[in-house]
Amino acid sequence: IHGITRQQGGATNAWINKYIFPGGYIPGLVEIVSRIEESNLQIADIEMLRRHYQRTLEIWDKNFNDHRSEVEGMMGERFARMWDMYLQACAASFESGNIDVIQYLLTKGPSGKNLPMTRQYMLNDK
C-alpha cells in the first residue's frame, strides 16, 4: 500500500480543500499504523518515497508548463495558475518534509516470513 501521509499527524489544507481536493485529508503515520494493527496485519517494510515524489511533482510541473497555453485555452488562466501553484507547493511540501509518500509492505501472519532479508534484490548490480 502506498499513499501520501504526514509523520507529524493528520492535516487538511484550506486552499487545497477549496480548490483542488474538496474533503481531502492527509493522515498521519500513527493513524495508518494503528489501522494496520487493528486489521491484524503486520508491517514487513516501510519505505519513505518523499524525495522521489518531490521529483515527480517537479517533472509534472515542467510538463504542465510546457503545455500551459493549451491548458489555458481549455480551462482558463485562473485554473492554470492554481494548478501550477498546487504542483509547486506540493513539491516544496515534500522537499521540506511536511508531507511524505510512504509505501507499506504488509503481510497477514508472521511478518516477512518469505521475504528477502534485505532490499539488495532491488538493486541492479549487473
Side-chain angles (χ1 to χ4, degrees):
I1 296 174
H2 143 152
I4 296 174
T5 188
R6 288 175 43 87
Q7 291 192 33
Q8 302 84 356
T12 59
N13 178 290
W15 186 84
I16 290 175
N17 192 47
K18 182 174 181 177
Y19 296 106
I20 309 294
F21 293 116
Y25 174 73
I26 298 176
L29 181 59
V30 170
E31 291 175 77
I32 293 172
V33 171
S34 298
R35 299 310 181 279
I36 291 168
E37 184 181 68
E38 290 167 7
S39 299
N40 294 316
L41 296 170
Q42 291 187 2
I43 298 171
D45 193 24
I46 294 179
E47 184 176 11
M48 309 314 196
L49 299 170
R50 176 174 66 87
R51 293 179 59 219
H52 297 277
Y53 211 68
Q54 171 197 343
R55 181 72 180 124
T56 297
L57 282 155
E58 290 167 349
I59 292 168
W60 285 350
D61 189 57
K62 181 193 177 311
N63 291 341
F64 171 79
N65 281 297
D66 286 348
H67 298 276
R68 187 167 179 147
S69 61
E70 297 166 52
V71 174
E72 286 181 2
M74 291 186 300
M75 305 298 292
E77 181 189 3
R78 182 173 185 257
F79 172 87
R81 282 185 296 128
M82 283 195 300
W83 196 251
D84 187 35
M85 185 170 81
Y86 166 70
L87 292 172
Q88 290 184 39
C90 286
S93 289
F94 282 104
E95 182 179 25
S96 70
N98 186 39
I99 55 178
D100 208 329
V101 170
I102 299 178
Q103 185 162 287
Y104 308 83
L105 178 59
L106 308 176
T107 63
K108 192 172 185 178
S111 181
K113 181 178 173 186
N114 296 314
L115 296 174
M117 295 286 284
T118 68
R119 292 182 182 167
Q120 186 67 32
Y121 70 96
M122 290 189 242
L123 302 175
N124 186 359
D125 292 332
K126 298 173 186 172

